[in-house]
Amino acid sequence: MNDLKRLHPAAMLISLIAAVKSSIIPIIGSVVIGFANSNPFLKYVWIAILAFAIISSFLSWVTFYYKLDNGELYVQKGIFVKKKRYIQRQRVQSIDVKAGVLQRLFGMVGVDIETAGGSSEAEAHLSAITKEEAEAIRKELLGKESSRMRMNEELEGYEESGEEEIVEEGPTFTWKLGTERLVAAAMTSSGVGLIFSAVGALFTQFYQFIPDVWLDQSLGFVTSVGLSSILAITGIVFLALLVSWAISCVITILKYGGFQIEQYEKELVITRGLLERRQLTLQVNRITSVRLVRNLLRQPLGFVSVYVESAGGGSKDEQASTLLIPILKDSDLKDVLADILPEYSFEREYRPLPIRALWKMITQAFIVPVVVTAIASYFFFPYGLFGLMFLIVTIPFAWFTFKAGGSGAGDHYVWLRYREISLIEVIAPRWKVQAAEKQVSVIQKFQGLSTFKITVQSSLSGKSFHLANLTDKQADHLLAWYSRIHKKDEH
């Protein structure tokens, strides 16, 4: 494997489909506009986009080479600008092996290799190689010492043959997402909001292309049967939410179907996906923090999701984090963490926020709706008064945010709990925290409050978590926990 190699020709088709997918709105828009416009050149814009995608995919495949040589992966690519890159074994943070539908048709897999470079994209992406090549790359770049493959020197005949016989050790622990948990994860997924937003965005893009006659006929039918416009719009929004929820359920099942974690001595191998099978190898010593997330649907039902921040392995749809456990009963959390990441499984005592923080939160929640309502009422009275309805939501939310806030620190770990919309707990070891910071705003200074913030390494350059409205004493205590002087005093 020391010679330069090209990807499988299926890489051209994969690249072409990705290009068409990213250009789908311009393609559809050019078709609609082209046939509605008298300019003959506009009719062929979509053909030009497709032709460019085809040529680009072919040239990208022709100019892409790679080879694995003595613990390094060499990648050479570029159509107009040639890029040559060596990826050394010691810089590799994680290796993600994926098998999408197209790759499965050709018996290929894709490999993403992430390093400590802190980029939002993988350091190297091999879109179509054989499974054997992917396994060879994984073993070589993760290093034999940290690989699952271990040399068994006690095998009979080892000394006689003089050859290294390698056996594959099985996992020490396996956790699987069962069918009931998968269904629960699908039904309580927070992705419905994103899908609803996407549906709305697409509708606004294509709204201008819907003929006025169709709109008049559909809305005219609604009003002709006696429904008011407001009731009709409410029904449409509800229907859109229902469809978005159904789509979210299907996507979650396809994404996390077959989910399992295999634990080896120094690695976690996370496998998931029905359509796109993904196998992520994550080195345990690269994990920098654990994040427990309970969204608004899961918290009342006693479910929690577990994310980890690590130097590599994160994905864009998970905000550069890695979803370790999609869903789990709160009562099982401690035991499952004890099996997978035992160093993060311990009881945590949270110090609550001071009562003056509650008044600050309620004031903040009160001011914005009142000011907006006052302005809206001045110009659009009496409809602007509907803005006061936001107080029904924001003030209780401020109360729940106050109740959620808490912090604590032990000998080697710090933990923060806060609410954005979901309830979030972050647990980080001191030796993984890159920076700790105390912040005091002008308003906080008068109230004797502070914000404590920590930063840990993630797939990007770093990820920060903060808890606002602690007392100065609480923030000073956490800062002292992290300080070098504090550590010296311990010894």
Side-chain angles (χ1 to χ4, degrees):
M1 199 171 174
N2 292 332
D3 298 330
L4 286 175
K5 300 183 67 175
R6 280 202 179 104
L7 298 173
H8 188 274
M12 285 187 287
L13 183 58
I14 295 172
S15 176
L16 174 61
I17 291 178
V20 172
K21 182 180 176 182
S22 63
S23 306
I24 190 66
I25 291 180
I27 290 174
I28 294 176
S30 64
V31 170
V32 174
I33 295 174
F35 283 93
N37 196 293
S38 58
N39 190 332
F41 295 103
L42 292 179
K43 295 181 180 179
Y44 305 106
V45 170
W46 66 276
I47 298 178
I49 297 174
L50 284 180
F52 178 79
I54 293 172
I55 295 172
S56 176
S57 300
F58 174 74
L59 293 179
S60 296
W61 177 75
V62 169
T63 56
F64 192 101
Y65 294 94
Y66 71 97
K67 69 174 181 179
L68 189 64
D69 186 11
N70 196 26
E72 291 182 336
L73 179 68
Y74 172 76
V75 176
Q76 174 183 318
K77 63 179 181 179
I79 300 174
F80 299 107
V81 179
K82 297 293 183 185
K83 296 181 180 179
K84 299 179 180 180
R85 180 175 299 168
Y86 283 98
I87 300 176
Q88 299 176 346
R89 175 190 300 170
Q90 57 268 28
R91 294 188 64 243
V92 174
Q93 305 284 5
S94 67
I95 294 181
D96 198 354
V97 180
K98 303 175 181 177
V101 175
L102 283 176
Q103 288 150 334
R104 288 185 184 184
L105 286 176
F106 293 96
M108 299 286 117
V109 296
V111 177
D112 286 342
I113 300 163
E114 293 193 33
T115 67
S119 172
S120 59
E121 296 182 353
E123 185 79 5
H125 173 63
L126 308 178
S127 58
I129 62 175
T130 64
K131 296 177 182 176
E132 292 74 18
E133 287 176 320
E135 179 62 17
I137 290 172
R138 192 191 66 80
K139 286 192 296 184
E140 187 68 26
L141 293 187
L142 287 182
K144 293 182 179 179
E145 292 182 358
S146 61
S147 170
R148 286 183 287 155
M149 306 294 286
R150 292 284 182 271
M151 184 173 58
N152 189 347
E153 297 182 354
E154 297 179 355
L155 283 178
E156 186 177 356
Y158 167 76
E159 294 182 355
E160 294 177 0
S161 64
E163 297 179 355
E164 296 180 351
E165 292 193 43
I166 297 176
V167 296
E168 183 175 4
E169 293 181 352
T172 56
F173 176 77
T174 300
W175 185 88
K176 294 185 178 181
L177 183 70
T179 303
E180 292 183 1
R181 287 174 177 163
L182 178 61
V183 172
M187 297 181 68
T188 59
S189 171
S190 58
V192 60
L194 295 175
I195 294 174
F196 184 73
S197 302
V199 171
L202 284 175
F203 179 77
T204 56
Q205 291 288 331
F206 291 102
Y207 176 77
Q208 56 183 319
F209 302 119
I210 300 176
D212 293 338
V213 177
W214 293 4
L215 289 175
D216 292 339
Q217 288 179 348
S218 56
L219 292 179
F221 170 76
V222 172
T223 54
S224 65
V225 297
L227 294 177
S228 68
S229 300
I230 295 178
L231 187 61
I233 292 173
T234 304
I236 292 172
V237 171
F238 177 77
L239 182 62
L241 280 172
L242 191 63
V243 172
S244 300
W245 177 75
I247 294 174
S248 173
C249 289
V250 172
I251 291 176
T252 302
I253 289 174
L254 293 177
K255 189 174 182 179
Y256 297 115
F259 190 102
Q260 72 171 21
I261 303 171
E262 293 178 313
Q263 184 191 49
Y264 296 85
E265 183 181 357
K266 298 179 179 178
E267 300 168 354
L268 294 176
V269 179
I270 303 172
T271 306
R272 73 185 195 192
L274 296 179
L275 285 182
E276 183 187 60
R277 199 68 175 160
R278 180 183 177 188
Q279 187 180 72
L280 172 67
T281 302
L282 200 63
Q283 300 193 56
V284 174
N285 63 348
R286 303 292 171 85
I287 293 176
T288 56
S289 65
V290 167
R291 185 159 49 99
L292 312 177
V293 179
R294 299 171 179 87
N295 69 26
L296 293 180
L297 294 176
R298 290 175 181 173
Q299 186 181 354
L301 300 174
F303 288 120
V304 59
S305 301
V306 181
Y307 291 80
V308 294
E309 314 300 332
S310 65
S315 59
K316 291 181 180 178
D317 54 347
E318 292 164 4
Q319 299 178 337
S321 302
T322 297
L323 180 58
L324 184 66
I325 302 175
I327 194 169
L328 188 69
K329 290 293 289 185
D330 257 324
S331 55
D332 298 332
L333 176 63
K334 185 178 179 182
D335 292 337
V336 174
L337 272 184
D339 290 324
I340 300 175
L341 295 173
E343 60 271 31
Y344 290 90
S345 177
F346 56 87
E347 294 290 342
R348 299 173 297 281
E349 182 179 351
Y350 284 90
R351 295 182 180 179
L353 300 178
I355 193 66
R356 57 182 180 274
L358 173 61
W359 297 114
K360 178 175 181 291
M361 293 176 179
I362 290 181
T363 303
Q364 287 179 329
F366 182 80
I367 287 178
V368 174
V370 168
V371 171
V372 172
T373 300
I375 297 174
S377 299
Y378 179 80
F379 291 102
F380 306 105
F381 184 82
Y383 299 106
L385 294 176
F386 283 107
L388 293 175
M389 295 178 63
F390 286 103
L391 294 175
I392 301 175
V393 178
T394 55
I395 291 182
F397 186 75
W399 163 260
F400 285 114
T401 303
F402 167 76
K403 293 294 290 182
S407 63
D411 291 339
H412 304 295
Y413 289 81
V414 65
W415 49 91
L416 305 176
R417 187 179 63 196
Y418 56 92
R419 180 180 293 282
E420 291 176 344
I421 294 178
S422 301
L423 179 64
I424 298 172
E425 289 183 70
V426 178
I427 310 165
R430 179 162 50 195
W431 59 92
K432 297 290 186 181
V433 176
Q434 293 184 317
E437 186 178 344
K438 175 188 172 185
Q439 300 173 345
V440 182
S441 67
V442 175
I443 297 177
Q444 285 179 323
K445 186 177 181 180
F446 286 105
Q447 297 172 317
L449 300 175
S450 302
T451 298
F452 181 72
K453 174 182 171 184
I454 60 171
T455 302
V456 298
Q457 189 175 3
S458 70
S459 295
L460 300 177
S461 57
K463 195 158 189 171
S464 297
F465 307 99
H466 70 273
L467 175 63
N469 301 320
L470 300 95
T471 64
D472 281 335
K473 186 176 180 181
Q474 287 175 325
D476 289 337
H477 172 74
L478 294 175
L479 201 60
W481 166 85
Y482 182 69
S483 72
R484 192 173 180 179
I485 296 176
H486 179 77
K487 284 186 281 187
K488 285 183 177 178
D489 291 343
E490 288 181 349
H491 301 290

